Each structure stands twice: as structure tokens, then as C-alpha cells.
Amino acid sequence: MLRSLWAVLRTVPCEGLTTTKANSLLFGAVKVSAACFNTRARYFGNSRSLLTMPEVNTDSLDEKQVQLLSEMCILIDENDEKIGADTKKNCHLNSNIDEGLLHRAFSVFLFNNEDKLLLQQRSDAKITFPGCFTNTCCSHPLHTPLEMEEQDAVGVRKAAQRRLKAELGIPMEQVLPDELTYLTRIHYKAQSDGIWGEHEIDYILFVQKEVELNPDPNEIKSHCYVSKEELKEMLNKAKNNEIKITPWFSLIAETFLFKWWDNLQNLKQFMDHGKIHRM
């Protein structure tokens, strides 16, 4: 019953959802609106069993990265509707992902004036997909009023600005939220190892600017600007297991990236905010 509780709660329709201090319930570290839980709990009769989250030993992990696991991510359903909040840790445990736990994320693609794409190699300290090459910046909006703003994905774009500063040291005034073009969303799931993984609806954000870089070595092992041809070479190397690339970046590169890249000055034709691409 407990193993299936969260998965079933997520699939039962919920109207009038809000998540506020005055109208929420806490199940372990999972914050779900009281109105939403009451609506969904009807399917359990009188049962009010609380969710139990698995205990995972993090002693062997990087201390700074472990601290970030307490951040609260935005829980969503498969239509990207907010249903509550949970810790970054719980959102990235495969045991919860297997039960359907899904959160909101973003991927930034930053190009310079030579139309080259800025890539990063994730540090070896990262808990998911360490040492993998990926797009410019990949992270999550937090469950805060500032980053939950829905209109025109303002909250997501503000979160991207924050993480560009935190990971790459890009001054916040050099990439403003309004300068990030929100193209579309993808929904994907991937395991990093036997314990950790990803299950996200990922907002794709593009920007072309010259920026100053001062990467945090705890976040980024290396970085480089690449041309289309150079990226294609990297993708081929990844297929031959010569380098590692994150699964979301690989999916985007194999499907949409190059046609978007060919049209950096005319991206509006690819803006599709109504569709979530299931990858």
C-alpha cells in the first residue's frame, strides 16, 4: 500500500490545487496541498497512511553536493501541473522515480557570437551523471514564489539565471530572464546508477550572448565552446564509449538541437509551449 500510495495520488485528478503554508500536508519530506490530498485520498477510503521515503547513506558523497539535496523542487504531474514539493534528494532517487515522482527542470543552451555552443563537463562530485558532458546549464527551479511564476515560464527563466551564476560564474546582469528564449518542454527519465536518476519535464531555454565565465569546480570539471561539427564528433565518441554525455543532452541533440541551431536568429518558429515532447 505504501509503495503505491504516491503513484496513485499523482494520477487522480485534482482541481483547485494550491500549496500554501495554511493549506498543505507534509508526508515525510513531500509537501502536497491539503485540497489535492483530500481529493485523491477518496480513492483510499479511510486510509491515511503516510508516505515513507527511503533512507540512503550519503556519507561517501561530496559534502557540498549533499547540502544541495535539501533544496525543494517543484513536483508536477505529467501535464506539468504543480502538485507540491519535495527535496532534490527524494526527486532523484530511483525508488521514488519508479513510483512516478516527477519534477520540473530546465536546460540552457548558450551560444556565443560565433554561433558556438557552450558545453560543460559535470564535475566528478556531482551525484547524478558525474563527469558527463552536457549543455550549458541544467538544473531545477525551486519551490519558491519567485521560481514558481507560471506566466511565460518566468519562474523557470529566473531559476536559470540563478544557476548560470552558481555553476558558470556568469554575472546575473549578463543574462537576464527576458533574454532567455523558452522553446518547448521535454519529458524524459534516466538512471544514473542503481540509486540515483532523473525524471523531469525539462524546459528548453536558448540564449546567444558573449558572457564572462568563472566556473565553480565543484559543479563543472571543464567547459568549452563547440561548433556543430565538433559536437557531432563528440556524439560519435559517446556512442563508442570514448566520452560520456548526459541522457537529456543526447536526446535533445539527436532530435531537435541542430535544426534550432541552424535558426538562432529565427527561433520563434520553433516555440511550442502547448506540447510536451515525451522522449
Side-chain angles (χ1 to χ4, degrees):
M1 181 70 167
L2 289 176
R3 276 184 61 82
S4 62
L5 175 59
W6 176 247
V8 178
L9 282 175
R10 286 187 63 259
T11 59
V12 177
C14 177
E15 298 179 0
L17 174 61
T18 58
T19 304
T20 66
K21 292 181 180 178
N23 187 29
S24 63
L25 300 176
L26 196 64
F27 297 91
V30 183
K31 188 177 183 183
V32 184
S33 77
C36 185
F37 180 80
N38 290 336
T39 299
R40 300 178 183 196
R42 290 200 302 268
Y43 290 77
F44 295 91
N46 294 323
S47 174
R48 282 295 192 272
S49 298
L50 301 186
L51 278 169
T52 57
M53 286 297 173
E55 291 297 324
V56 174
N57 191 316
T58 58
D59 291 347
S60 63
L61 303 177
D62 179 81
E63 182 179 356
K64 185 176 179 181
Q65 292 296 321
V66 169
Q67 290 175 354
L68 294 174
L69 290 177
S70 64
E71 292 181 337
M72 298 299 288
C73 295
I74 302 169
L75 294 183
I76 52 176
D77 64 19
E78 291 193 351
N79 294 316
D80 195 26
E81 296 292 332
K82 296 192 299 288
I83 60 172
D86 200 355
T87 62
K88 181 179 177 183
K89 175 183 175 182
N90 283 336
C91 285
H92 290 83
L93 288 171
N94 288 328
S95 54
N96 295 330
I97 290 170
D98 289 343
E99 297 293 343
L101 203 63
L102 175 65
H103 63 279
R104 187 174 288 170
F106 61 82
S107 287
V108 177
F109 293 75
L110 184 148
F111 300 82
N112 64 13
N113 290 340
E114 296 178 350
D115 291 350
K116 290 187 174 184
L117 173 62
L118 177 60
L119 301 184
Q120 63 159 280
Q121 183 183 18
R122 293 164 67 86
S123 81
D124 293 331
K126 298 291 281 186
I127 294 171
T128 58
F129 303 101
C132 292
F133 287 91
T134 194
N135 50 286
T136 310
C137 179
C138 332
S139 191
H140 320 91
L142 300 180
H143 192 268
T144 63
L146 192 68
E147 297 188 5
M148 288 193 296
E149 292 184 54
E150 296 280 324
Q151 186 68 33
D152 298 323
V154 170
V156 170
R157 290 189 280 121
K158 288 179 178 177
Q161 180 193 36
R162 171 178 57 82
R163 289 304 298 174
L164 286 169
K165 168 65 175 174
E167 295 184 20
L168 289 153
I170 299 174
M172 294 185 73
E173 65 272 13
Q174 289 190 7
V175 178
L176 302 177
D178 287 347
E179 294 175 309
L180 292 161
T181 299
Y182 162 38
L183 290 180
T184 190
R185 293 167 289 178
I186 68 166
H187 178 188
Y188 78 96
K189 179 166 65 173
Q191 285 195 359
S192 178
D193 56 28
I195 299 174
W196 304 97
E198 296 282 2
H199 187 207
E200 304 176 329
I201 289 183
D202 196 16
Y203 284 64
I204 309 302
L205 306 174
F206 267 44
V207 62
Q208 185 168 24
K209 288 201 76 175
E210 294 291 334
V211 295
E212 300 170 20
L213 298 173
N214 183 25
D216 179 352
N218 188 257
E219 293 284 341
I220 295 176
K221 185 174 183 178
S222 67
H223 66 281
C224 59
Y225 282 96
V226 297
S227 66
K228 296 170 194 171
E229 292 71 23
E230 290 167 335
L231 178 56
K232 289 175 182 178
E233 289 179 12
M234 292 180 69
L235 293 171
N236 287 329
K237 286 183 177 180
K239 290 178 181 177
N240 295 325
N241 296 317
E242 297 176 45
I243 62 172
K244 295 187 295 182
I245 291 180
T246 60
W248 62 88
F249 182 45
S250 179
L251 286 169
I252 296 167
E254 297 289 352
T255 51
F256 304 116
L257 178 57
F258 289 100
K259 67 179 178 181
W260 292 338
W261 200 337
D262 286 337
N263 293 273
L264 289 178
Q265 309 307 317
N266 189 26
L267 288 172
K268 286 187 177 181
Q269 63 180 309
F270 301 109
M271 292 173 64
D272 185 357
H273 299 172
K275 184 173 182 179
I276 300 171
H277 300 273
R278 314 292 177 180
M279 309 294 278

